Amino acid sequence: MRSLLITILLLFLMAVGQYFCGIVLGENALPSGVALGFLLLVAYFSGHWINGLNLPFLTGYILMGVLCGPYALHFLSGESVQSLKLIDEVAILLIAITAGGEIRLDALRRNGRAYTLLVLFISLSTFLGAVALLWVFRAQVLVHLGNDQGLFWAVALLIGITCVAKSPAATIAIINECRARGPLTEMALNVVVLLDLVVIVGFTVIAAATPLIVGQDSSFAWGDLMHLGREIPGALVVGAVAGFLVALYLNYVRTNLLLFCLRPDSCLGGTCPLPRC
Amino acid sequence: MKTVLAILLLLGAGFLAEEFVRYKRRLPIGFKAVLYTFSEFLLVGLFLGPSFLNVLTEEILAEMRPFIAIGVGWVGILFGLQFDWARVRRFAPRLYGLSFLQAFIAAGVVFAGFTLVSWILGAQWAGILVWVLPLAAIASITAPTAISVVFMEDRIRGENAEILRFVASVDGIIGLFLFCIAVAFQNPYSLSGYIILDALLWVFLSILFGVLLGALFCILLQRRGSREEILIYTAGILIIAGSISYSLKISPLFVAFIIGIILANFSHRSEVIYKALSPVEKPAFIVFLILVGALWKIQWGIGLALIPLFLGLRATGKALGIVVSRELFPKAERPSSWLALGLLSQGGLALTMVANLTILHPVSVFSLIQTLVIFSIILNEFITPTLTRLALQKAS
């Protein structure tokens, strides 16, 4: 109850701030930094009262983001959201490190066949199911695409592959909130991360083939695939080197662990958006 | 992504530099004496910044200004947290009188001196007020850090030492209020159309925002939470205070100072903030110093020429301030005038004020203030230990 009252108080203060920003600064949204500070607190407390309704903390965070964003209460303008991309990038970095920290090579080797089959069947069934559904409703979809069949197939394939994507961030948040451990949790996280890899490759292939499908060009955009061919191995090499250096530091220096925030039992979904150190 | 890499580089530098600081404590006294207040990190920032290596480019620093505003606010909160009423009333009012009056006189002497110089050089009165008033405010502040280190090393005790430590810890309040007024005069947004009324209104709004955010922080702190939760509240309030101040062109340092005072006096759990912030305090301060150093644009010509004037006026002001304000004491208990020698050090709060000015209004005249203050801080690091020991020797 207290968390709900504080959430309401904070939303009220944001509304008052928005009103005064209109008078003093001539803007109809809060400055991005002010909105960020309030969002941090609002999201935190809304996670708590939402959790009281037996929903995950993450639901509260997302709900407040939608409510305060440019399409609802407009506390945050579209430009502010863009200017806060830095927070996005840092958050993705932390999530990726946390997700990577949960993946064990020995588990991948042990359960490789099971993971492969799972990833294959989940991605194929989701992809084909989404494309099939769009095909069933093709009449309605074609209306929005100018009755262009080529464009329809390009859009259907892209939507199909996008539907395969899962969210490692949400998965990690729920796992941490429930403090789940065990083979099922391990499998769920590994499969989610591997599915992202399938989506990256699949999306790039389909995007490269889109000009061909739509009929704008007669050739496949090999440049996109080559770009991907550089990015993924490059990222693997840089990540491996950086991870190795960090491991050396942790093994031999062992101070200021806060710098790396690597403890697996991070409290992402619970009390703090930062991994606990 | 470049900004993210710069942040990671700075965080890594901050944490690793903390190791250097620990190592520094084991150095012989001769080396340690020149490195009391971490000024070496200012120079690191200067070399990484646009003036030299340009690793921290102008674009990255522009994107980091809101974060620097948050760092400025953090210093303000920590300063304000010291002033809870129970602790404040333990000390005699005449000690506060001594501290405030000497700070005010020091500010007055610097203000008068630089106003005269500016007037001789043909500056307009409005322009003089914009740059001389903040400089005078910064000049009034003494850094207690260097004094405390000398006391610890030499195991100095006694009434004069305690008076010196007290004055250095407290005279920042006058500097902060003068600084708030100075920033209010610079505010580009007009509320009433009259300059002086606008400045007063902005000072009032700064206090009001500080009180409201302090009250909000007190409400949040009522909930008993873990260290991570306290960090979230602190981060949220600091981001709000820093951003509001940055948007409205008021001093985030002053707003956060008021927040700290409200917390110290109306929340029973203000001490948990210290505990929550302590693991990150030193690395964060080091990162802050590197960023302040990166923002430093040295004014070689006029800046270097005015440094002796600034140092001389400040020393004169402090000396005159002590001579006048010691009259508040009964004759038998008057502190020695020699204590003025121990009040010349400058450090964190002065630097934070310089950072505050630079991020709100990145114009060249504030680069001049940067140059004067930062050189003063670095030069004073060399002479503060000797002067402090001399002051106490002569005073006793």
Side-chain angles (χ1 to χ4, degrees), chain A residues 2-3 6 25 31 33-34 37-38 40-41 44-45 48 86 89 93 255-256 258-259 271-273 276, chain B residues 1 4 8 11 15 18-19 67 189 216 219-220 222-223 228-229 232-233 236 239-240 243-244 247-248 280:
Chain A
R2 203 166 163 275
S3 298
I6 291 177
L25 301 174
V34 177
F38 273 112
L40 184 62
L41 297 172
Y44 174 75
F45 282 102
H48 275 275
L86 179 63
E89 289 173 1
L93 204 68
T255 58
N256 285 318
L258 187 67
L259 183 60
T271 56
C272 171
R276 191 184 310 193
Chain B
M1 194 44 101
V4 174
L8 291 175
L11 281 174
F15 278 94
E18 194 199 2
E19 288 301 308
F67 294 101
Y189 300 114
L216 179 61
I219 293 171
L220 299 179
Q222 279 180 353
R223 182 191 159 87
E228 287 81 10
E229 288 179 335
I232 293 175
Y233 305 156
I239 291 171
I240 295 169
S243 303
I244 283 179
S247 302
L248 296 176
V280 295

Side-chain angles (χ1 to χ4, degrees), chain B residues 129-252:
Chain B
L129 202 63
V130 158
W131 86 277
V132 174
L133 190 52
L135 184 65
I138 295 169
S140 68
I141 294 168
T142 311
T145 314
I147 296 170
S148 299
V149 173
V150 170
F151 287 179
M152 261 186 340
E153 278 180 16
D154 295 5
R155 292 188 169 80
I156 295 174
R157 298 278 184 272
E159 198 177 325
N160 286 313
E162 292 309 314
I163 290 174
L164 195 59
R165 197 205 306 263
F166 180 87
V167 170
S169 301
V170 160
D171 70 357
I173 296 177
I174 291 294
L176 263 175
F177 271 96
L178 289 173
F179 186 75
C180 177
I181 295 168
V183 171
F185 271 110
Q186 295 159 12
N187 201 302
Y189 300 114
S190 178
L191 298 173
S192 69
Y194 301 99
I195 295 175
I196 294 176
L197 186 57
D198 274 346
L200 287 173
L201 284 171
W202 281 119
V203 171
F204 170 72
L205 282 172
S206 301
I207 296 172
L208 183 66
F209 283 129
V211 168
L212 290 175
L213 288 172
L216 179 61
F217 206 162
C218 289
I219 293 171
L220 299 179
L221 277 178
Q222 279 180 353
R223 182 191 159 87
R224 291 199 170 276
S226 62
R227 186 170 68 84
E228 287 81 10
E229 288 179 335
I230 305 295
L231 272 175
I232 293 175
Y233 305 156
T234 311
I237 294 292
L238 279 177
I239 291 171
I240 295 169
S243 303
I244 283 179
S245 307
Y246 183 71
S247 302
L248 296 176
K249 304 297 182 197
I250 56 179
S251 170

Side-chain angles (χ1 to χ4, degrees), chain A residues 84-96:
Chain A
L84 292 173
K85 274 184 78 63
L86 179 63
I87 309 293
D88 250 355
E89 289 173 1
V90 173
I92 287 169
L93 204 68
L94 286 173
I95 289 163

Side-chain angles (χ1 to χ4, degrees), chain B residues 60-363:
Chain B
I60 291 173
L61 290 174
E63 277 193 53
M64 289 220 181
R65 279 177 205 278
F67 294 101
I68 299 173
I70 292 160
V72 166
W74 167 64
V75 172
I77 278 191
L78 288 179
F79 186 65
L81 278 172
Q82 297 176 79
F83 298 104
D84 74 277
W85 182 243
R87 202 183 307 171
V88 163
R89 64 181 186 185
R90 268 193 255 153
F91 298 95
R94 57 179 181 238
L95 277 173
Y96 289 100
L98 176 75
S99 310
F100 296 162
L101 192 53
Q102 65 79 28
F104 200 72
I105 291 172
V109 167
V110 171
F111 182 81
F114 274 91
T115 300
L116 185 64
V117 166
S118 303
W119 182 68
I120 291 169
L121 293 174
Q124 299 294 318
W125 283 112
I128 291 173
L129 202 63
V130 158
W131 86 277
V132 174
L133 190 52
L135 184 65
I138 295 169
S140 68
I141 294 168
T142 311
T145 314
I147 296 170
S148 299
V149 173
V150 170
F151 287 179
M152 261 186 340
E153 278 180 16
D154 295 5
R155 292 188 169 80
I156 295 174
R157 298 278 184 272
E159 198 177 325
N160 286 313
E162 292 309 314
I163 290 174
L164 195 59
R165 197 205 306 263
F166 180 87
V167 170
S169 301
V170 160
D171 70 357
I173 296 177
I174 291 294
L176 263 175
F177 271 96
L178 289 173
F179 186 75
C180 177
I181 295 168
V183 171
F185 271 110
Q186 295 159 12
N187 201 302
Y189 300 114
S190 178
L191 298 173
S192 69
Y194 301 99
I195 295 175
I196 294 176
L197 186 57
D198 274 346
L200 287 173
L201 284 171
W202 281 119
V203 171
F204 170 72
L205 282 172
S206 301
I207 296 172
L208 183 66
F209 283 129
V211 168
L212 290 175
L213 288 172
L216 179 61
F217 206 162
C218 289
I219 293 171
L220 299 179
L221 277 178
Q222 279 180 353
R223 182 191 159 87
R224 291 199 170 276
S226 62
R227 186 170 68 84
E228 287 81 10
E229 288 179 335
I230 305 295
L231 272 175
I232 293 175
Y233 305 156
T234 311
I237 294 292
L238 279 177
I239 291 171
I240 295 169
S243 303
I244 283 179
S245 307
Y246 183 71
S247 302
L248 296 176
K249 304 297 182 197
I250 56 179
S251 170
L253 179 61
F254 185 77
V255 170
F257 167 65
I258 300 294
I259 293 172
I261 291 180
I262 298 293
L263 278 175
N265 290 283
F266 295 100
S267 171
H268 301 297
R269 304 191 64 226
S270 56
E271 76 287 344
V272 301
I273 299 173
Y274 282 118
K275 287 179 194 158
L277 291 179
S278 59
V280 295
E281 190 181 342
K282 208 168 280 174
F285 189 58
I286 290 169
V287 168
F288 178 70
L289 286 173
I290 293 174
L291 284 172
V292 172
L295 287 170
W296 185 12
K297 290 179 175 51
I298 304 177
Q299 298 270 313
W300 290 109
I302 189 162
L304 293 186
L306 288 176
I307 286 169
L309 179 67
F310 179 69
L311 292 172
L313 282 172
R314 192 167 171 267
T316 307
K318 287 286 181 182
L320 187 62
I322 287 286
V323 163
V324 169
S325 55
R326 67 194 283 264
E327 299 297 319
L328 294 169
F329 286 72
K331 206 165 183 177
E333 296 171 18
R334 267 178 209 163
S336 168
S337 303
W338 284 102
L339 289 182
L341 284 180
L343 296 175
L344 297 181
S345 66
Q346 285 197 290
L349 199 54
L351 265 178
T352 310
M353 287 180 177
V354 162
N356 190 148
L357 278 177
T358 314
I359 57 171
L360 288 182
H361 307 286
V363 293

Side-chain angles (χ1 to χ4, degrees), chain A residues 3 43-61 63 173-174 177-178 269-271, chain B residues 223:
Chain A
S3 298
Y44 174 75
F45 282 102
S46 63
H48 275 275
W49 63 261
I50 284 273
N51 191 241
L53 303 172
N54 290 323
L55 291 169
F57 286 87
L58 196 65
T59 308
Y61 304 157
L63 190 67
I174 301 297
E177 187 179 327
C178 301
T271 56
Chain B
R223 182 191 159 87

